[in-house]
Amino acid sequence: MATNKLLHMNGGFGETSYANNSLLQRKVILKAKPILKENITRVYRHIQPDCLNVVDLGCSSGPNTLMTASEIMGIIHAVSLSLELKAPAFQIFLNDLPGNDFNTIFQSLPEFYSKLRQDKGDNFGPGFIVGVPGSFYERLFPDSSIHFFHSSFSVHWLSQVPKGLTSNGGTALNKGDIYITDTSPPAVRRAYCEQFREDFKLFLKFRSVELVRGGGMVLTFRGRLEDENPSTTFNLVGKVLHDMVLEGKVEEAKLDNFDIPYYGPTEKEVREIIEDEGSFSVERVEFSKLGWDADMNESNEGSNNIEDGVAMKAKFVAQYIRAVTEPLLKTQFGEAITMDDLFLRFTNKLVHLMQLNDLVYNNLVVSLTKRQTNA
Ligand SMILES: C[S@@+](CC[C@H](N)C(=O)[O-])C[C@H]1O[C@@H](n2cnc3c(N)ncnc32)[C@H](O)[C@@H]1O
């Protein structure tokens, strides 16, 4: 099933919105800033355009969306000052799937522009923000029109549930689970890996055509170590759904036919695909780690004892998982169960797990330059 009609994060500013539950991603994006700075500075110094065309792919809606735009403008402003050049104008394209809450972004633009003028002065830019609805697994821009692509926490979303998860006879191969687990048959692992390979290759091919000569790209997305468990949190959601099947609240076939269109690759897999596709030189690939609770400091969160602290962390993680998976889960199971019930059960399982283990949120930061041999 294609994800472009189904996938979006929870919109708005409510308790379960992505806007309110994206601190974890924000922290990782900020950690990756030196890599972003290195790549975009090189692009700017090399090309020195009058107007810098930058794209954020999979921008979602919330504080992170305009933070990246603002970071990029700030970096280039500082570089142009140091080179005694007039800062360029900026055209910042915010891309996401059509179901994304673009309205919330657009409503925040007047305040964003006004703060930009306040911080950087009237002679800065100007900056123009443009919304681009569409899938990044398709062409989004004219040939050789973009200087720099950025994407955070989006490229691990696949274009569709992996094709190979259904046998030729139409039988679901990943019965009872919603992602790869420790005990998944090799065919399930292969299906996920193959879908990522196909999607990421297409992504690289399209972006290389859209980039100008010497253009750059920095991607931050979920990754995993070679020997790491596939995804503890998604598997826990699978266990909750399994419990609900046993209680007769969810149809077994619905669970058997549901799989998350997500894949966290290893560094080796990513390097192989980039090399195989051939349009980009790798400047850097770095692993970035954070606790799943965004390394929150318990003493700052008002907790009085360890149990309260774990419960609070589990709630934080559950809210994050809810913000990114609720629309998908609602489409498949929504009429039978309430999301409050599902995520309460999920939180309880998380508390138990977090008392035993530290959950680590692993990410890859990939910095690329378009190869000169490509027009
Ligand atoms: C977790 S959010 C990341 C938002 C923001 N970049 C951040 O770092 O906080 C992932 C976003 O990627 C978008 N996305 C997933 N697949 C996509 C695709 N094929 N094309 C465009 N956007 C996509 C989702 O709709 C979602 O808004």
Side-chain angles (χ1 to χ4, degrees):
M1 194 194 302
T3 44
N4 57 4
K5 292 199 181 71
L6 297 176
L7 184 69
H8 59 89
M9 307 294 109
N10 275 342
F13 288 105
E15 203 193 341
T16 61
S17 64
Y18 185 74
N20 250 324
N21 294 285
S22 46
L23 175 67
L24 185 60
Q25 291 89 333
R26 189 183 188 80
K27 286 197 173 179
V28 180
I29 297 168
L30 289 172
K31 261 176 116 175
K33 188 174 166 186
I35 300 177
L36 170 71
K37 185 174 174 189
E38 181 184 75
N39 193 320
I40 198 162
T41 301
R42 181 197 51 72
V43 171
Y44 176 63
R45 291 179 75 124
H46 177 67
I47 304 175
Q48 294 188 17
D50 292 335
C51 177
L52 192 70
N53 292 332
V54 173
V55 184
D56 192 26
L57 297 158
C59 61
S60 197
S61 112
N64 298 353
T65 305
L66 291 169
M67 177 181 82
T68 304
S70 171
E71 291 286 344
I72 288 175
M73 289 196 249
I75 291 167
I76 298 302
H77 185 52
V79 173
S80 52
L81 280 179
S82 75
L83 295 177
E84 296 183 2
L85 293 169
K86 182 182 175 329
F90 295 91
Q91 194 153 32
I92 310 260
F93 298 95
L94 300 178
N95 155 259
D96 208 292
L97 291 169
N100 184 51
D101 184 5
F102 281 103
N103 277 345
T104 298
I105 305 176
F106 294 157
Q107 280 157 12
S108 65
L109 286 180
E111 198 188 327
F112 177 76
Y113 286 134
S114 139
K115 184 154 188 324
L116 204 62
R117 271 194 301 277
Q118 215 176 51
D119 292 351
K120 306 262 183 340
D122 284 338
N123 288 335
F124 175 76
F128 304 98
I129 310 275
V130 183
V132 181
S135 170
F136 49 56
Y137 295 122
E138 291 168 15
R139 280 292 301 272
L140 293 167
F141 300 97
D143 288 14
S144 303
S145 60
I146 302 298
H147 299 108
F148 185 77
F149 282 108
H150 174 268
S151 180
S152 49
F153 297 99
S154 306
V155 174
H156 47 240
W157 289 107
L158 303 171
S159 68
Q160 61 174 92
V161 170
K163 289 186 279 289
L165 285 183
T166 314
S167 75
N168 287 341
T171 316
L173 296 181
N174 201 23
K175 284 187 176 183
D177 291 314
I178 66 168
Y179 188 57
I180 308 166
T181 67
D182 281 346
T183 54
S184 294
V188 169
R189 288 171 184 271
R190 246 192 334 268
Y192 268 102
C193 185
E194 267 314 303
Q195 190 64 51
F196 179 76
R197 177 175 295 279
E198 190 181 300
D199 285 346
F200 193 46
K201 229 171 145 176
L202 208 58
F203 173 91
L204 293 171
K205 181 178 147 205
F206 289 153
R207 297 304 80 81
S208 78
V209 177
E210 293 164 351
L211 274 175
V212 300
R213 191 183 281 269
M217 177 151 78
V218 172
L219 311 171
T220 299
F221 51 95
R222 297 300 315 283
R224 68 175 208 284
L225 299 167
E226 293 289 340
D227 55 355
E228 191 182 336
N229 281 346
S231 167
T232 322
T233 41
F234 287 154
N235 290 330
L236 225 48
V237 175
K239 284 198 169 88
V240 170
L241 288 165
H242 188 68
D243 290 349
M244 291 173 136
V245 168
L246 295 179
E247 290 169 26
K249 292 193 165 159
V250 165
E251 253 178 73
E252 192 169 12
K254 280 208 166 170
L255 173 58
D256 289 349
N257 289 309
F258 180 76
D259 293 290
I260 292 269
Y262 155 99
Y263 185 70
T266 63
E267 176 175 342
K268 182 163 170 273
E269 287 168 342
V270 169
R271 281 187 182 273
E272 274 171 11
I273 300 167
I274 296 168
E275 183 60 30
D276 191 26
E277 195 280 329
S279 305
F280 288 92
S281 310
V282 176
E283 304 295 334
R284 268 171 205 278
V285 179
E286 284 191 5
F287 236 94
S288 163
K289 282 178 176 208
L290 204 65
W292 259 96
D293 56 4
D295 293 344
M296 73 166 69
N297 179 348
E298 279 165 33
S299 61
N300 289 339
E301 307 292 331
S303 80
N304 294 326
N305 60 48
I306 292 172
E307 261 173 42
D308 277 359
V310 172
M312 215 178 308
K313 287 177 178 190
K315 189 166 177 226
F316 173 87
V317 177
Q319 290 279 70
Y320 156 74
I321 292 289
R322 181 168 181 169
V324 301
T325 56
E326 181 165 344
L328 281 175
L329 291 165
K330 253 189 183 162
T331 305
Q332 180 78 355
F333 305 103
E335 280 164 28
I337 56 176
T338 70
M339 290 297 127
D340 284 348
D341 184 16
L342 192 156
F343 282 99
L344 184 61
R345 291 163 183 250
F346 176 67
T347 310
N348 292 339
K349 283 198 190 295
L350 265 178
V351 168
H352 184 62
L353 188 72
M354 291 174 94
Q355 276 164 345
L356 304 173
N357 300 298
D358 286 333
L359 295 185
V360 181
Y361 188 77
N362 281 326
N363 308 286
L364 285 164
V365 186
V366 180
S367 175
L368 304 170
T369 306
K370 177 173 166 172
R371 281 203 167 133
Q372 294 296 337
T373 47
N374 258 331

